[in-house]
Amino acid sequence: MSTNSLIAVIVVAAVVVIALTALLWTLTRRRHLRERFGPEYERTVAERGDKRSAERDLRAREERHDRLDIKELSAGRRHQYADEWSGVQQEFVDRPEGSVERADELVTRLMGERGYPTEGFDDQLRDLSVEHGRTLEEYRAAHAVKVRSGAGKATTEELRGAMVHYRALFEELLSDQRSR
């Protein structure tokens, strides 16, 4: 085999190895994002229209989240929040609209105490999506009902559903004691 042929084989082999490495790295990164974001991964892909753009957005969310100072709550504070949630649920029988409003306020307060920024619903969604992507759609649904309720357009059954959705995120935030 001539020197030129040997060089050509080595170059082709190196290109193949580099291409396979890049492909494996991309697939590993994609799997990580799917596992971390859960249903939010597919939602973002559908919203963005392509995987590359969605994955850039999700990585940006991770980077922003990593800069947050997410804190654990003491057992006493968790207990206080749980008691307050019980009161919100009990209020539902007499004042469903007010109960949903209070549930939203309680979830927002809990987010703030844990270290999540609470300004702007869209920013809340982006920040929560990193660790709470599996309950994010429930939070969206609850918030949508709360908004309709404020305009007097939500049924009691929708309000009941909103409470269930708020509770899912509330319980996750309350029990998730991983600090970053």
Side-chain angles (χ1 to χ4, degrees):
M1 184 180 273
S2 72
T3 303
N4 287 340
S5 297
L6 184 58
I7 290 173
V9 168
I10 291 172
V11 167
V12 168
V15 168
V16 168
V17 167
I18 290 170
L20 284 174
T21 301
L23 177 64
L24 287 174
W25 181 74
T26 299
L27 292 174
T28 299
R29 196 172 63 192
R30 183 167 289 158
R31 186 179 67 231
H32 160 77
L33 291 171
R34 282 179 187 232
E35 289 172 1
R36 183 151 199 196
F37 286 90
E40 187 66 12
Y41 177 90
E42 295 302 331
R43 185 184 206 299
T44 305
V45 169
E47 185 178 278
R48 292 289 182 146
D50 71 284
K51 287 184 180 182
R52 277 189 171 165
S53 175
E55 289 172 357
R56 271 193 306 274
D57 178 45
L58 295 172
R59 282 192 305 277
R61 293 181 196 190
E62 281 183 316
E63 290 170 10
R64 175 180 159 103
H65 185 273
D66 288 346
R67 291 189 302 268
L68 298 177
D69 183 21
I70 306 299
K71 304 170 195 74
E72 290 186 20
L73 296 178
S74 68
R77 287 299 291 149
R78 285 194 311 270
H79 184 71
Q80 287 173 338
Y81 272 108
D83 286 348
E84 195 167 346
W85 181 261
S86 292
V88 169
Q89 289 186 128
Q90 290 171 3
E91 177 185 325
F92 185 84
V93 174
D94 296 324
R95 296 188 50 238
E97 295 89 357
S99 182
V100 168
E101 182 69 34
R102 279 195 55 217
D104 182 75
E105 291 168 3
L106 185 59
V107 166
T108 301
R109 199 163 18 102
L110 176 56
M111 286 172 51
E113 189 166 338
R114 290 289 314 277
Y116 288 98
T118 57
E119 65 282 342
F121 182 70
D122 289 336
D123 287 339
Q124 288 177 359
L125 292 174
R126 291 180 58 76
D127 293 334
L128 286 170
S129 70
V130 177
E131 294 291 332
H132 304 284
R134 299 198 190 309
T135 55
L136 209 53
E137 197 55 40
E138 293 187 67
Y139 184 47
R140 279 187 182 97
H143 183 76
V145 170
K146 183 198 112 177
V147 169
R148 282 197 318 280
S149 173
K153 297 181 179 179
T155 68
T156 302
E157 196 55 39
E158 288 173 322
L159 294 167
R160 187 180 332 283
M163 290 297 293
V164 170
H165 295 319
Y166 276 125
R167 183 176 60 221
L169 179 59
F170 176 82
E171 288 176 349
E172 199 171 279
L173 284 168
L174 198 60
S175 65
D176 181 28
Q177 295 301 303
R178 292 170 280 160
S179 60
R180 295 255 172 233

